Amino acid sequence: MAWIGAGRAASAEASSLEVAQAVAQEIAQAEPEPPTGDRETSQEAPPGVEVIHVKGRGAGAIETEVPASITQFDASTIQNLGAQDISDLSRVTPNVNIVQPGSTQATFFVRGIGLSDFSANAAGAVTIFQDDVAIDAPAIQTGQLFDVRNVEIMRGPQGTGPYRNASGGSIRVESALPSGNYGSQLRSSIGRYEADGGKGAHHSLIQDYEGYLEAPIAADFLSSRFAFRLRNSDPYQTNGCGDAPPFEARTPRLRASITRDSLDAASICGERSLFMLPIQNPAIGESGRSRIPVGLKSKVDFEDHWAARGILRFQPPNSDLDFVLNGHGSRLDEDQTVGQAIGTGPVQLDARSRFFGGGTGDTSSGYEEPDQRAEIDQLCGGTRRCPSGGSEFPNAVVSNFEKVLAQKRPLDREPYRGDYDRDGKTTRDAWGGYLSGKAQYTDWDVFALASYDGYKRFRDQDSDFTPDVLFEVQEGDDAWQTFEQLHVGGELERTPLEWQIGGYYLHERLDDTNSTELTAANQPVRIDRNYSQDIDSYGVWGKFSWDFLDNLTLDGGVRWQLERKQFDIFRETFVNGALSTVTSANQEESWDTPTGTIGLTYHFNQEVAAFTKYTRGFKAGHFNALSSEQIERPPAKPEYNDAWEAGLAGSWLDRRLSGSVNYFYYRYEDYQIFLFRDVAFEPPVLEIINAKQAENYGIEVEAHIAPLRGWVPRIAEDLLITLNAGWLHGEFLDFQIRNTLPTGLGDAFPVTIDLSGDRLLNSPEYKLAGSATWTFDLGRWGYLIPRYDFDWTDDVYFGLHNGRGTSVTGFSGAPRLPAFAIGQKAYWLHNVRLAYRTPSNNVEIAAYCRNLEDTVYKNYAFDATNFSNVVLNFVGKPRTIGIDLIVTF
């Protein structure tokens, strides 16, 4: 019987695959199994069917599982969704949101709980497992999905088992293991981005290849499986600063009397230096030049990735031993992640500056995004001719246009075009492996694992998305970790009671060197940081599952954990090229606490059960690596949460309908939150602080419907409909921050901003997703399989003040930005796919279109208004079309 909660997929107990196989066999007795293109997964549940298991040891044939809110994805579902990594699965998972402003940066939010920290030493609230190995370094938490057996998203804190820091939940990825048979598969996908005209996107080619080969090395003894994935996509976004001619070729356009218009005529992409710095001109005898290098690429967002994995499986005959040796590696080489900058400072109207709410103004350097400038000029009826309503009143045209950019469209007419003054790159090499072993005896079993993972990464980023140096980062980091796990379990048949005790140990070493260039108080500033962090994390746990009555099961467990962090940092600050300050700190902190869970399940019958449970969650404290304030300061406090949950799961109508519904309530103490906190006229402060109290509660519903099974001819009965919905209410109950804000008169004042009552970040109130897959069995002609997927995401706030940021107007404390300036209004995404599979199930060809309506939406945004008068927006992928070819041998 599988263990509940955290330990079941990592233990020697029945795996998720074994559970799925047991249920699939029962389904197969009622009807033939629908076709699948993967010979291994064909032994599992039917394609696209998410089987919901109910815990119980009665006479029922359904295998038992722990009461919990879990969403699973098999290999065929992942393929049909076109998921590149686990962040793509969050769109169709209730109350799960994964923010990924870069391919090596991701933050995970489950039921509103997460941490938007993009530093190298970030520590999220969701534990990521790859084949039973806890991956701590955020740079390698979202590797490519390939040759995957199962992905499992567990919502809610995990109070027992090997789930370090899982105050929000856990995500487990399981690779396919060698089966001991010969087999292979190759998938080729060719496509392109197909954005509508006028959006600044190029129709670039996408190539994606994935495959595996498995073979026995020694019959019934040693088997192997090797898998790979290659992905390459041409750049599809535009850099307006690309292909710039030499500055000398532009200066003849300047007139003897320099004006704003003549300087604009010489500008390639609105760069600051043409207006702010001296220009070569005989009339004034001064010289200067543009900052834009000659030869920048005009097309950006190139990607080139590969990943490979090799597995050896050793299963001695006539024994219950099972050993797995895994080795893996990957290489990522791509352009920097770029987006769109929207200025929030003074807009130039009738040669006069005037502050307004935000949206189309200058940045702190005077840069205006050309597309936004052109559109507002058009709305005004001519270049810089907006009628003025007086300096104390916002112009109606400007005010309305800023709301369009924040709420209605969103973004400007060219969302895939920006102005970047450098060809940034991101590279990452990752490698690792593990050895695991299982042994089963008469009354107990044992599982052990030892692993090593490491990476080396380099990032060169035009972080401000402008041709100026508002803040730009160059960073190199490398880390390695070891993770060991051991647990022993068994069953007392007379009780009946299942038990497990175990422990884990994680050690991680991180070294980071980064340099940040920025402009503060009209002066160039460079901050060089070198820091290292060592983590030692220990945990021991025990858990049980007791069927004390025929229809009642009591589940529980505890875990004691200890985490120690050693953090060393050395920082130098240069102003105008001269060394200004040198600071360093060496800090060490430890945290330890018990956590636990207790739950009760009632089995109405063999197929329906209800449960209720309580869990205590914990996440260790954190050192702020990127803070530019006082360097030696206490780390962020650890966070704690109390979580109550109740649910109902089962199947009805002869399995034509299956589903689950879950309700939860969380109460948080010292909830950790990452802020890009602005300090007027100073470098921005990136730090994690604690909100004293927060709460969230909500409902999740998942349904799987086969409405035609047994009621229509066989050719058309395999229609499967899935619906997932989530409702979430999360808010800060007690949360204040202090900022230093500009008055607009050249000075600043301190202010306390009370955010109590605000929504939690990255947590839409509603999410809805669904799919319809209809497999037509054409007999000797094969199978025709159309599929439609959709997802709808409600309004989401990426910044505080319910998406209006922390900048305020004067001394009133009212937010200066419009609603959703740091957010995204609700939006829909639609995908379609049409596949044909041969009667032998070994060849499939499919055409697909993702983001069918070419919806423009923000993945993420953050506010740097007080520091540099800019909001930075990360934009989602445009429409993508392509063809898949899958051949299985």
Side-chain angles (χ1 to χ4, degrees):
M1 169 186 157
W3 272 98
I4 67 174
R8 64 177 182 80
S11 66
E13 314 127 12
S15 67
S16 296
L17 176 60
E18 293 166 345
V19 172
Q21 287 175 334
V23 179
Q25 290 172 2
E26 183 176 346
I27 295 175
Q29 295 174 0
E31 62 171 327
E33 184 183 28
T36 177
D38 188 323
R39 290 180 178 175
E40 181 178 82
T41 57
S42 67
Q43 301 174 13
E44 306 174 33
V49 176
E50 179 184 333
V51 180
I52 298 177
H53 314 293
V54 181
K55 185 175 176 63
R57 295 183 185 79
I62 297 178
E63 190 60 69
T64 61
E65 283 210 66
V66 171
S69 180
I70 301 174
T71 299
Q72 293 184 347
F73 300 89
D74 63 13
S76 62
T77 303
I78 293 170
Q79 175 185 297
N80 292 336
L81 290 171
Q84 303 301 316
D85 54 48
I86 55 179
S87 66
D88 294 322
L89 300 179
S90 67
R91 293 197 170 280
V92 294
T93 306
N95 288 334
V96 175
N97 195 39
I98 300 179
V99 176
Q100 192 172 23
S103 59
T104 64
Q105 296 173 295
T107 57
F108 305 86
F109 288 81
V110 177
R111 292 174 170 172
I113 303 305
L115 189 66
S116 293
D117 184 1
F118 303 110
S119 58
N121 73 328
V126 179
T127 304
I128 310 299
F129 280 86
Q130 175 68 54
D131 293 331
D132 299 325
V133 177
I135 304 297
D136 187 61
I140 53 176
Q141 286 183 331
T142 55
Q144 295 186 69
L145 290 177
F146 67 101
D147 198 30
V148 170
R149 180 174 65 179
N150 183 59
V151 175
E152 181 180 82
I153 299 178
M154 306 172 67
R155 294 182 289 269
Q158 307 299 309
T160 185
Y163 294 86
R164 167 184 171 269
N165 278 354
S167 61
S170 179
I171 299 176
R172 306 186 68 98
V173 180
E174 298 180 16
S175 303
L177 295 176
S179 65
N181 302 316
Y182 288 98
S184 62
Q185 185 182 91
L186 177 64
R187 180 184 67 84
S188 303
S189 180
I190 305 295
R192 73 173 187 175
Y193 295 116
E194 187 80 8
D196 289 338
K199 293 188 176 183
H202 305 282
H203 293 173
S204 59
L205 179 67
I206 306 169
Q207 302 179 72
D208 198 334
Y209 306 98
E210 177 185 349
Y212 72 83
L213 171 66
E214 68 170 352
I217 298 175
D220 301 323
F221 183 72
L222 182 63
S223 55
S224 65
R225 188 175 181 113
F226 302 92
F228 73 92
R229 186 166 190 178
L230 306 173
R231 177 177 172 84
N232 177 280
S233 66
D234 294 334
Y236 74 91
Q237 299 194 67
T238 298
N239 182 6
C241 297
D243 297 330
F247 180 70
E248 292 74 15
R250 293 184 271 154
T251 52
R253 287 181 284 177
L254 298 179
R255 296 190 291 270
S257 176
I258 296 179
T259 66
R260 171 80 182 237
D261 290 338
S262 67
L263 291 170
D264 284 347
S267 170
I268 292 297
C269 52
E271 63 270 31
R272 166 188 57 172
S273 54
L274 291 176
F275 183 62
M276 303 292 288
L277 301 179
I279 303 298
Q280 179 70 38
N281 188 284
I284 57 179
E286 295 177 332
S287 63
R289 64 182 181 86
S290 170
R291 289 193 64 260
I292 305 304
V294 175
L296 287 178
K297 296 182 298 184
S298 60
K299 297 180 180 180
V300 294
D301 206 32
F302 165 81
E303 296 180 357
D304 190 15
H305 306 166
W306 67 261
R309 181 191 309 120
I311 301 177
L312 296 177
R313 190 174 188 180
F314 175 60
Q315 296 172 292
N318 303 317
S319 76
D320 290 321
L321 299 176
D322 189 352
F323 298 95
V324 175
L325 177 63
N326 172 302
H328 51 265
S330 64
R331 167 76 175 178
L332 177 147
D333 186 353
E334 64 181 29
D335 290 342
Q336 64 177 334
T337 300
V338 295
Q340 186 175 97
I342 296 182
T344 61
V347 119
Q348 302 294 326
L349 302 175
D350 294 328
R352 176 176 57 192
S353 295
R354 186 159 48 78
F355 279 95
F356 71 108
T360 59
D362 291 357
T363 67
S364 61
S365 66
Y367 163 77
E368 294 175 312
E369 213 281 348
D371 303 320
Q372 298 159 28
R373 177 75 258 180
E375 187 169 357
I376 196 171
D377 286 344
Q378 180 183 11
L379 293 172
C380 290
T383 303
R384 310 186 195 288
R385 293 295 182 267
C386 272
S388 174
S391 60
E392 68 276 20
F393 298 107
N395 177 272
V397 173
V398 175
S399 180
N400 289 335
F401 182 51
E402 70 180 13
K403 294 177 182 178
V404 168
L405 293 183
Q407 302 167 24
K408 295 182 180 180
R409 196 155 50 211
L411 306 171
D412 63 39
R413 293 171 176 171
E414 303 284 343
Y416 307 111
R417 196 211 73 87
D419 304 304
Y420 319 112
D421 62 344
R422 63 201 302 170
D423 285 333
K425 295 285 289 182
T426 297
T427 61
R428 184 200 61 199
D429 294 295
W431 56 88
Y434 70 83
L435 175 64
S436 69
K438 295 180 180 181
Q440 294 183 350
Y441 301 93
T442 303
D443 297 322
W444 56 281
D445 52 56
V446 61
F447 174 82
L449 176 142
S451 68
Y452 175 89
D453 284 277
Y455 77 88
K456 186 177 182 64
R457 178 175 62 171
F458 173 77
R459 291 184 289 179
D460 185 12
Q461 300 173 293
D462 183 359
S463 306
D464 53 54
F465 302 159
T466 76
D468 300 329
V469 183
L470 303 182
F471 43 92
E472 301 182 357
V473 180
Q474 189 174 94
E475 179 179 21
D477 60 302
D478 60 86
W480 60 268
Q481 71 163 57
T482 61
F483 179 76
E484 292 81 38
Q485 181 186 165
L486 173 67
H487 58 74
V488 179
E491 181 173 0
L492 305 177
E493 294 184 1
R494 294 184 179 181
T495 309
L497 182 144
E498 290 189 356
W499 59 272
Q500 187 185 93
I501 57 173
Y504 71 84
Y505 170 63
L506 170 76
H507 175 78
E508 181 186 26
R509 168 72 182 193
L510 167 70
D511 293 286
D512 186 284
T513 299
N514 68 78
S515 179
T516 303
E517 297 182 53
L518 47 87
T519 303
N522 294 320
Q523 299 184 93
V525 176
R526 191 181 86 238
I527 302 175
D528 293 339
R529 297 181 183 89
N530 294 280
Y531 68 87
S532 63
Q533 180 172 275
D534 285 277
I535 297 177
D536 290 287
S537 182
Y538 311 82
V540 293
W541 75 85
K543 56 184 177 179
F544 70 92
S545 181
W546 179 27
D547 292 331
F548 63 95
L549 293 176
D550 289 342
N551 55 1
L552 283 172
T553 302
L554 181 67
D555 300 285
V558 295
R559 181 180 65 236
W560 176 85
Q561 52 249 307
L562 166 68
E563 182 145 328
R564 180 172 60 247
K565 290 185 179 181
Q566 172 70 44
F567 183 74
D568 303 324
I569 186 169
F570 176 79
R571 186 176 68 205
E572 296 177 306
T573 302
F574 299 83
V575 179
N576 282 322
L579 181 62
S580 174
T581 59
V582 177
T583 53
S584 65
N586 304 99
Q587 297 174 270
E588 182 176 336
E589 191 71 50
S590 297
W591 304 272
D592 67 281
T593 190
T595 58
T597 184
I598 188 73
L600 183 66
T601 303
Y602 177 75
H603 312 282
F604 294 95
N605 52 47
Q606 299 175 10
E607 297 185 338
V608 181
F611 75 91
T612 182
K613 70 174 183 178
Y614 163 79
T615 303
R616 175 71 167 176
F618 165 79
K619 180 172 171 296
H622 179 78
F623 287 100
N624 288 293
L626 300 182
S627 176
S628 58
E629 292 188 311
Q630 179 185 359
I631 194 168
E632 187 164 4
R633 54 189 307 185
K637 298 177 183 178
E639 68 180 27
Y640 299 87
N641 68 323
D642 295 292
W644 292 264
E645 185 173 356
L648 172 72
S651 60
W652 300 266
L653 301 176
D654 195 22
R655 297 184 183 272
R656 291 184 178 89
L657 169 65
S658 61
S660 65
V661 58
N662 295 279
Y663 171 79
F664 61 91
Y665 176 82
Y666 294 173
R667 190 66 175 250
Y668 267 81
E669 304 168 23
D670 292 322
Y671 175 62
Q672 293 178 5
I673 180 171
F674 177 80
L675 296 180
F676 192 96
R677 185 162 63 88
D678 281 346
V679 178
F681 313 120
E682 297 291 339
V685 177
L686 289 80
E687 63 177 350
I688 294 174
I689 63 175
N690 296 98
K692 190 173 181 181
Q693 286 187 335
E695 74 171 2
N696 58 339
Y697 50 87
I699 297 174
E700 295 141 358
V701 179
E702 300 185 64
H704 305 267
I705 309 167
L708 305 181
R709 183 180 298 163
W711 291 348
V712 299
R714 171 67 177 169
I715 187 176
E717 72 172 355
D718 289 328
L719 171 63
L720 175 66
I721 299 172
T722 69
L723 292 172
N724 299 330
W727 168 65
L728 173 67
H729 175 85
E731 67 175 286
F732 298 106
L733 298 180
D734 188 354
F735 183 34
Q736 296 84 29
I737 64 172
R738 288 188 59 81
N739 269 13
T740 305
L741 305 178
T743 64
L745 303 175
D747 56 358
F749 64 98
V751 62
T752 298
I753 302 176
D754 189 353
L755 298 169
S756 303
D758 275 18
R759 285 252 303 267
L760 296 181
L761 305 184
N762 301 296
S763 304
E765 186 173 6
Y766 297 99
K767 284 188 71 174
L768 178 66
S771 69
T773 305
W774 203 342
T775 301
F776 292 91
D777 186 347
L778 307 179
R780 64 189 182 92
W781 302 107
Y783 304 89
L784 188 66
I785 312 171
R787 179 184 176 98
Y788 164 67
D789 294 274
F790 73 88
D791 63 85
W792 177 77
T793 302
D794 196 11
D795 301 344
V796 59
Y797 301 133
F798 306 119
L800 296 172
H801 254 147
N802 289 339
R804 301 186 69 177
T806 56
S807 61
V808 299
T809 302
F811 291 90
S812 68
R816 185 156 68 92
L817 301 183
F820 294 99
I822 326 294
Q824 168 64 51
K825 290 283 287 183
Y827 64 97
W828 291 86
L829 291 178
H830 304 271
N831 305 327
V832 293
R833 188 176 190 265
L834 178 62
Y836 169 76
R837 186 178 296 138
T838 61
S840 59
N841 288 329
N842 65 334
V843 177
E844 178 179 297
I845 185 169
Y848 63 84
C849 180
R850 301 178 188 124
N851 192 0
L852 181 65
E853 296 182 312
D854 197 21
T855 301
V856 176
Y857 61 96
K858 306 175 191 176
N859 273 330
Y860 185 63
F862 67 87
D863 177 23
T865 300
N866 292 327
F867 167 66
S868 54
N869 283 326
V870 69
V871 171
L872 306 178
N873 302 278
F874 297 83
V875 188
K877 299 287 187 182
R879 180 191 297 124
T880 308
I881 60 173
I883 296 176
D884 287 334
L885 175 63
I886 305 169
V887 181
T888 305
F889 303 95

